[in-house]
Amino acid sequence: MSTKHSRNAEKFLKDKEQVRWHDQTLWMVRAKRDNMSRQLPEWERLRDMACAIKMYSNSHLDLLLQEFEKNAQANGAHVYWAKDADEYCSIVYNILRAHSVKHFIKSKSMLAEECGLNEFLEEKGVEVVESDLGERILQLMHKKPSHIVMPAIHIKKEEIGELFVKEMGTEPGNNDQTYLTHAARKNLRRKFIEAEAAMTGANFAVASTGECVVCTNEGNADMGTSQPKIQITAFGMEKIVPDRESLGVFTRLLARSGTGQPITTYTSHYRKPRTGGELHIIIVDNGRSRILADKEHVKTLNCLRCGACMNTCPVYRRSGGYSYTYFIPGPIGINLGMLKAPLHYFDNVSACSLCYSCQNVCPAKVDLADQIYRWRQKLDGLSVASSSKKVMSGGMKALMEHPHLFNLALRNASVVNGLPQWMVYNGLNDWGKEHDMPQFAKESFNEMWKKNKIK
Amino acid sequence: MSSREDILQSIRRNTQVRYEKPDLSELEKEAVVYPDKVKQFCDIMKLTGGRAVVVESGDDVNEIIRRQYPEARRIASNLMSIVCLGKEQKLACAAFHPDDVANPGDLDGTDLAIVAGRVGVCENGAVWVQQDVEQRAVYFISEALVLVLDRRNLVNNMHEAYKRIDTGEYGYGVFISGPSKTADIEQALVMGAHGARDVTVLLV
């Protein structure tokens, strides 16, 4: 029954103190999100409208993307279309090469992670500097994000302190968060000023104006794009929204849902290139248009990448981002991984208790848990259903269909209570792993009912 | 065939039901409003880690700024004067115009920037800054930021704000809600990640 997820989770669970901290910290973010949502009586209508706008925009992508392109070009931007990860990486590289860019500063982009941009560019000799603090820490550690909004949530300050001694010349043993953050501020300032080109993703691309909107708390997207003259902005095509009125809905939901703030510190609107500069915009498909045909999973395209579904997920909180085999963890990652390559990422489908919390907090109403449930029904068809689970379900089916057998099993279940430890807790009994077995009652409800013990 | 055509064809081929564009008017009507916008804005600014200062008649804006930032020496501003409650006051504390520098990187080391905000949003403390200088770096690179905002330009929520904003001639604008911040190291909130460490909104 063990999957790659459960085996990876086992490693994460070894450090009990770290697990407790991870679980409680993310739950605190979830509580902040609840607090924010309760301050707005119109909260549920906001979610409904966000969902409805996304259903509209994702079913009119052909029209909205062309409208965006026309307006962006009128604003003086260059617009490119990339079918897949390779084309996206090549477009970025060609822009950088044409301007002999050696220093390249980036703000956090899940699309760049998805497409392996940094690896691609570094192989070609371009120095890429991540400017989001969490991303920079991970880049220097040669690690990957474990959360889409709080990428370094799994790293302890002691590790960061040690890293900064080496990379930024901080005092050994000083692991104070403020001290370390300001050391990075100073260090990255130079990188911003030296860079010959800057890149951002986009949270929203507005069809009616041709502008891209980026939300950050640190101000790194703006520090980057206000220094060098070359700006590159790339987004997955589902980031398109029809107009600024729609931004009114999404900017109210995004940070409240993701981090429990009323809005991010910076919500930047990039419409034209800077004077004497260039603005390059890349629209990326990379499998998204294919998802449009899949009625059962098309709503994944509603996702705003706020991270609320991870913060609330009891499995994510207690297993960490690295347990999942897809680069995006948590409920949305389970679904996006299955859409990308089911035979590759099916291990994550079991990392869900179907508690539906994710679905209830999602600001754009992605039916996350329903989709996971649907994927589970398909596992057998993909020939990747767990064989031990199949044997058990077969057994349960036989038991449920034969009341005599069922009652007999129930009457004798309490025998297990008295069995020696080694017979109950062993490799054959998956229910006995990581938790204690329940005590079986001496008498079943059925029997108690018949003896009139239940009033 | 170009990738553009390929992608558009793939979208057309795969699009199933076309959904209607929703009508947002009900939401906009029931969206949160505040009986005392100035008070709400001052309260929410504290939550963002910044502050709002209401300028009363008779107050000298230069003095208010000096009192708030006594250490600031390199002060940048493109504002010559500030109109407070109908009375124009000369802005005397600024040392230079942000466009006086040759490169945006030269603005590094600016202690304070004083710039105009156009719209303030009461639900979240966001102030709309429409680019009005060549070097927009000044909004981010300065150690501290003063946003001058006419209190009559406070709106309740983002729906109202988006009806009022523009990106202007430079084609750039930003909502700024308090100081730059991060919690990337063990979720401890630290002000001053990359942008201004301290933000004051002067409500004139």
Side-chain angles (χ1 to χ4, degrees), chain A residues 65 68-69 72-73 76-83 87-96 98-99 111 230-237 278-285, chain B residues 2-5 7:
Chain A
L65 288 170
F68 173 86
E69 179 189 43
Q73 284 169 343
H78 302 270
V79 180
Y80 309 78
W81 301 68
K83 262 189 289 196
E87 195 172 10
Y88 154 88
C89 290
S90 302
I91 292 169
V92 176
Y93 177 62
N94 289 337
I95 297 167
L96 299 181
H99 294 87
L111 181 64
I230 314 286
Q231 176 179 353
I232 304 174
T233 299
F235 61 87
M237 52 167 66
E278 292 175 21
L279 174 58
H280 301 268
I281 302 174
I282 312 170
I283 301 168
V284 184
D285 184 342
Chain B
S2 73
S3 291
R4 179 183 187 277
E5 282 315 304
I7 292 170

Side-chain angles (χ1 to χ4, degrees), chain B residues 96-126:
Chain B
F96 70 104
H97 191 289
D99 289 344
D100 289 347
V101 298
N103 299 301
D106 300 339
L107 291 168
D108 189 23
T110 302
D111 297 318
L112 175 67
I114 305 165
V115 301
R118 307 233 173 181
V119 177
V121 188
C122 291
E123 68 166 320
N124 55 24

Side-chain angles (χ1 to χ4, degrees), chain A residues 296-323:
Chain A
E296 292 193 335
H297 300 283
V298 70
K299 270 192 171 179
T300 49
L301 294 174
N302 286 17
C303 174
L304 308 181
R305 303 289 192 271
C306 73
C309 61
M310 298 166 200
N311 302 342
T312 199
C313 177
V315 179
Y316 174 84
R317 279 186 281 116
R318 293 174 182 84
S319 62
Y322 286 173
S323 301

